[in-house]
Amino acid sequence: TNVWPGYEPLYLAAEREDWRGELNIRLVEYPSATEVIRAFRNHTLEAAALTLDEVLTLREAGIPLKVVAVLDVSAGADVILAKPDIQRFTDLKGRRIGVESTALGAYILTRALQENHMSLADVEVVHLDVSAHLRAFRAGVVDAVATFEPVKTKLKGVGARELFNSREIPGEIVDVLVVHAETLGRDRRRLRAMLAGWFRALDYMQRQPMAAARFTARRLKMTPQNVVASYEGIELPDVAENLRLLEQHLPNTLARLQDTLVDAGLLRERQPIDDLLDSTLIRR
């Protein structure tokens, strides 16, 4: 994974479950989604937490993969933040916007521009890994950034103004667990155990929100109160909602998302996507 509150239940599960023995499940954290994608493509990782648009990018690159679970849906946690003197999104015309060099970074900026009747020609895109967003913003290298938690909270702490968030494009930014097709065939037992731990962690977060937040706060270098607040913009689907999303909602979402990415020039052409979703690990 990269650093993102929506993936933190994995780390909470690893803390509470014994995954190190026979299961031998190891979590690897990277500074950015770009590095996660690279590691997955190189088979350094057998599974990865990615956004749906990143999944489509990998599919276009010819990587055989399967989406086996929905981890979270962004409902306000992905944002475009600007300097305090920038009042409206349309005031970003001619300004420098820091964006991670991933499909997600390009996607949220493209959608924000579309929603405000603007285009990429209206702004100057500065490619920055998310780990550099706070530093670049404070140094004045950029006027705005397309970013997400926990950087969102840190930027707001230095006066950044929110101009756009994922609540304005509901259901479009979805984080999923992706595995290589061969891994799904070979390691079903371990993958099922990992997902069982994930759902138990979600249950623990509901029953003991502050205890879970204290654990996550140490990892994300945030206060427990800010951790709890960050989840107000993130939906974490349970087993029943996962099945509904994988089997009913996401096929249409994927098709619409692919159309948007192709139309925006973020994908070259449409690919077959009917076989991407696999709910069998959850539907026992």
Side-chain angles (χ1 to χ4, degrees):
T1 75
N2 60 290
V3 183
W4 161 246
Y7 301 152
E8 283 302 305
L10 276 174
Y11 292 89
L12 180 60
E15 178 80 1
R16 302 184 71 245
E17 306 272 332
D18 181 17
W19 285 353
R20 290 165 295 182
E22 183 187 355
L23 289 173
N24 192 27
I25 296 170
R26 185 164 64 95
L27 300 181
V28 185
E29 189 173 71
Y30 292 83
S32 70
T34 305
E35 292 169 85
V36 177
I37 294 167
R38 184 183 303 119
F40 186 79
R41 288 182 67 156
N42 293 339
H43 283 257
T44 303
L45 302 173
E46 292 156 305
L50 297 172
T51 51
L52 274 184
D53 47 283
E54 291 161 351
V55 171
L56 290 170
T57 301
L58 287 168
R59 165 50 61 95
E60 184 176 72
I63 309 296
L65 50 80
K66 296 286 185 180
V67 172
V68 295
V70 177
L71 301 181
D72 65 79
V73 180
S74 179
D78 289 271
V79 294
I80 294 179
L81 300 173
K83 290 179 178 178
D85 61 310
I86 298 175
Q87 300 290 316
R88 298 176 300 276
F89 191 91
T90 51
D91 294 337
L92 289 174
K93 277 195 174 183
R95 302 286 194 123
R96 297 158 299 169
I97 304 179
V99 181
E100 192 170 16
S101 300
T102 62
L104 175 60
Y107 181 75
I108 191 167
L109 177 58
T110 298
R111 290 293 286 115
L113 289 166
Q114 289 173 348
E115 291 292 301
N116 286 277
H117 310 290
M118 296 166 63
S119 72
L120 284 170
D122 292 321
V123 297
E124 181 183 340
V125 176
V126 180
H127 293 290
L128 292 170
D129 274 356
V130 69
S131 56
H133 284 187
L134 178 60
R135 184 170 63 253
F137 186 88
R138 297 182 77 168
V141 174
V142 293
D143 302 299
V145 290
T147 194
F148 47 85
E149 293 286 13
V151 179
K152 169 188 168 182
T153 293
K154 295 173 183 177
L155 281 165
K156 284 194 165 184
V158 297
R161 181 190 297 272
E162 185 172 312
L163 301 180
F164 182 87
N165 71 55
S166 51
R167 193 172 280 110
E168 299 177 54
I169 48 172
E172 293 190 27
I173 299 180
V174 182
D175 288 287
V176 294
L177 184 68
V178 179
V179 300
H180 291 287
E182 63 190 49
T183 302
L184 180 60
R186 184 183 64 232
D187 277 344
R188 298 185 72 86
R189 186 177 68 88
R190 286 202 295 165
L191 289 167
R192 273 208 174 97
M194 184 172 70
L195 285 173
W198 165 270
F199 289 117
R200 281 192 289 269
L202 295 188
D203 180 65
Y204 179 76
M205 288 171 69
Q206 286 207 331
R207 290 183 293 103
Q208 302 285 343
M210 286 310 297
R214 283 192 290 271
F215 169 79
T216 300
R218 290 194 298 271
R219 284 185 31 79
L220 298 186
K221 298 179 175 58
M222 299 169 67
T223 67
Q225 292 76 17
N226 280 341
V227 168
V228 172
S230 74
Y231 283 109
E232 293 174 4
I234 302 172
E235 299 169 4
L236 298 164
D238 60 13
V239 170
E241 182 64 5
N242 247 274
L243 289 172
R244 188 189 73 81
L245 288 168
L246 287 169
E247 296 176 357
Q248 300 174 35
H249 179 70
L250 285 194
N252 291 330
T253 300
L254 270 171
R256 285 199 312 271
L257 184 59
Q258 182 170 238
D259 287 344
T260 300
L261 292 171
V262 171
D263 292 344
L266 299 172
L267 289 176
R268 291 187 301 275
E269 58 185 5
R270 288 163 181 80
Q271 301 286 330
I273 54 175
D274 295 343
D275 61 340
L276 270 178
L277 305 172
D278 190 312
S279 63
T280 58
L281 292 178
I282 297 174
R283 184 176 290 285
R284 301 188 177 212

